Amino acid sequence: MKHFWQKYLWAFLCVGVIWPVSSQNKVLESNSPSGRPNPEIVVGAAQLGVLLPLLRDHQVGLVVNNSSLVGQTHLVDTLFGSGVCVTRIFGPEHGFRGGAEAGERIPDGYDARTGIPVVSLYGRKVKPLPGDLADVDIVIFDIQDVGTRFFTYISTLLYVLEACAEQGKSVIVLDRPNPNGHYVDGPMLDMRWESFVGIAPVPIAHGCTVGELARLFVGEHWIKEPQPLRLTVIPCRNYTHQTPYNLPVRPSPNLPDMRSVLLYPSICLFEGTVASLGRGTLWPFQMVGHPNYPEATFAFIPQSNAGSRYPPLAGKICRGLDLRHIPLDSLRMAKQLNLSYLLDFYQEFPQKDSFFLGNNFFNLLAGSNHLKEQIIAGCSEAEIRASWQSDLVAYREIRRKYLLYPDATEGRP
């Protein structure tokens, strides 16, 4: 009988939950009736009248991915078609056109459309070498961030700033809104736990755009800077940190819609545990489960797909939490991390000794070993949150100096 039930559930889930992701550039779910991103915000890349004069008579390198769009056209194609001398493309995690899965090493090569050399900044090399910048005068950084310390594009940003400072190259950051930029929250990174998922002493939800982060990294001397760095930020128009922003494309293969983007700061910590976050389904970062979780009304089966070829717990029935129906407005209105998903799941999980992965990845995501110790000790969410507050006060004072946009909690910059 048990075998029959599992076979039936498998068939149901394969039809109802598992389905290959058809496009890495799928339009994200929107709060607007039209499903389009907020038309009032003009991102830095769309301000060609400001950008193109800065590039005249210069050789240009681009740090870009699938989110680097001017309307519906990739920035590389836009600049190449405008006669800009683009000599190098630098590809971050997931690749320059955005098709590689998380953690996949990406080799150097050439862009098939333009023939421009592409240098990978994910895998064995995370920072441009002097030779990579030899035929570059200006490096443009244009990548959509989602506002968390462990989203690796901001680590790439820091390394690019550092390399350009060392080689005397200019940097232009084309700014984009932070969809989680309406709050600052979470534990700070203890630099003894520095890694590619934690590159600078900021909280999990840092509350900055990439342009503001670039100013902060340089202004606080968090990059090795043998000479002054020539940094230019082209800011967004008509944006504040309280402005809802619906991303026009997915920012990475496993953040398929706005609900996953808004949940990401709160539930990405599960990546350091034995639980599945729904990689290998249509709804990654919108569900949490494990085969050993106590009986629950919700279950899913991770299966290889375009977004995750080898998802954790592939082929296993994972029981747990279904977060797919939380209203987007309620996620935005919370304005803080929600630790209850993690704390409640840990309390219900029967094998607590094996809950956290043995590779310390949870601590790297959290920024230290303190949060893990608090969870094991049974601390409440209120007690954990209280332990962050003095660090957040100090960080807010630093952040305030580099804001480019009005912020309801910090006042106008």
Side-chain angles (χ1 to χ4, degrees):
M1 187 68 180
K2 181 178 180 181
H3 175 73
F4 173 80
W5 178 86
Q6 288 180 336
K7 183 177 180 181
Y8 178 81
L9 179 60
W10 175 278
F12 173 78
L13 290 174
C14 285
V15 173
V17 175
I18 308 295
W19 198 259
V21 178
S22 59
S23 171
Q24 296 305 311
N25 288 333
K26 180 181 177 182
V27 175
L28 300 189
E29 179 180 353
S30 171
N31 286 326
S32 64
S34 66
R36 294 191 297 269
N38 190 330
E40 299 162 351
I41 295 173
V42 182
V43 300
Q47 300 176 52
L48 295 178
V50 178
L51 175 61
L52 291 179
L54 301 177
L55 308 181
R56 189 174 297 123
D57 300 323
H58 290 294
Q59 297 183 113
V60 177
L62 302 175
V63 186
V64 287
N65 71 355
N66 67 300
S67 70
S68 309
L69 299 179
V70 181
Q72 299 299 313
T73 305
H74 199 285
L75 180 65
V76 169
D77 304 321
T78 299
L79 297 184
F80 187 77
S82 299
V84 174
C85 182
V86 180
T87 57
R88 194 82 65 199
I89 298 168
F90 297 94
E93 183 177 10
H94 305 302
F96 142 56
R97 297 280 184 185
E101 67 175 303
E104 180 180 348
R105 287 192 173 185
I106 303 166
D108 295 347
Y110 293 86
D111 177 32
R113 296 186 188 178
T114 62
I116 299 170
V118 178
V119 175
S120 174
L121 295 181
Y122 188 76
R124 289 178 296 178
K125 179 171 63 177
V126 295
K127 178 178 174 180
L129 299 176
D132 299 328
L133 297 172
D135 58 353
V136 172
D137 303 316
I138 299 171
V139 174
I140 295 175
F141 186 98
D142 179 31
I143 294 179
Q144 178 66 60
D145 185 37
V146 298
T148 63
R149 185 183 64 228
F150 32 63
F151 206 55
T152 61
Y153 299 140
I154 69 172
S155 298
T156 297
L157 171 65
L158 187 146
Y159 282 127
V160 166
L161 292 170
E162 189 171 273
C164 289
E166 292 168 350
Q167 300 302 315
K169 310 297 182 179
S170 299
V171 176
I172 298 175
V173 175
L174 305 180
D175 215 5
R176 293 179 181 269
N178 176 354
N180 287 302
H182 53 292
Y183 69 100
V184 173
D185 198 24
M188 298 288 290
L189 173 68
D190 180 337
M191 290 300 286
R192 291 174 294 183
W193 291 89
E194 178 185 356
S195 72
F196 202 59
V197 293
I199 198 68
V202 300
I204 284 179
H206 53 69
C208 294
T209 65
V210 289
E212 291 169 331
L213 279 178
R215 285 159 47 89
L216 188 155
F217 291 164
V218 173
E220 294 300 307
H221 304 285
W222 290 351
I223 66 171
K224 299 173 185 176
E225 192 176 356
Q227 54 184 311
L229 175 67
R230 296 185 294 275
L231 171 66
T232 301
V233 177
I234 298 182
C236 305
R237 296 207 305 259
N238 307 321
Y239 171 69
T240 78
H241 279 284
Q242 312 311 313
T243 306
Y245 181 67
N246 301 299
L247 305 186
V249 297
R250 61 179 67 199
S252 71
N254 283 287
L255 292 178
D257 55 32
M258 283 306 300
R259 187 171 288 102
S260 63
V261 169
L262 295 173
L263 282 167
Y264 182 73
S266 293
I267 70 172
C268 185
L269 290 167
F270 276 103
E271 295 270 78
T273 75
V274 295
S276 165
L277 274 171
R279 292 182 185 270
T281 75
L282 274 180
W283 299 278
F285 289 92
Q286 297 171 77
M287 54 184 67
V288 186
H290 189 275
N292 294 337
Y293 191 77
E295 291 296 328
T297 57
F298 173 71
F300 61 93
I301 302 175
Q303 182 172 290
S304 178
N305 65 11
S308 184
R309 284 183 291 175
Y310 307 103
L313 302 175
K316 297 183 179 180
I317 299 172
C318 297
R319 293 177 291 274
L321 311 177
D322 182 3
L323 309 177
R324 293 174 297 166
H325 307 295
I326 301 176
L328 299 184
D329 286 345
S330 69
L331 290 173
R332 279 193 55 85
M333 290 174 61
K335 296 184 180 181
Q336 64 179 26
L337 301 184
N338 187 337
L339 283 180
S340 66
Y341 308 129
L342 179 62
L343 298 180
D344 292 348
F345 198 97
Y346 176 79
Q347 287 302 318
E348 293 293 327
F349 195 73
Q351 290 87 31
K352 291 182 173 52
D353 290 344
S354 61
F355 181 72
F356 297 100
L357 297 178
N359 58 5
N360 275 329
F361 192 53
F362 183 90
N363 295 340
L364 294 176
L365 292 171
S368 74
N369 59 350
H370 191 44
L371 178 58
K372 177 180 175 181
E373 292 173 348
Q374 290 174 313
I375 294 171
I376 293 173
C379 295
S380 67
E381 181 166 359
E383 291 170 327
I384 293 172
R385 297 187 60 80
S387 70
W388 303 339
Q389 296 312 307
S390 61
D391 286 339
L392 289 181
V393 170
Y395 169 74
R396 285 179 180 277
E397 288 298 314
I398 295 173
R399 170 180 176 264
R400 182 179 292 117
K401 296 185 291 183
Y402 303 103
L403 290 177
L404 292 168
Y405 312 99
D407 185 291
T409 62
E410 305 292 348
R412 282 190 167 271

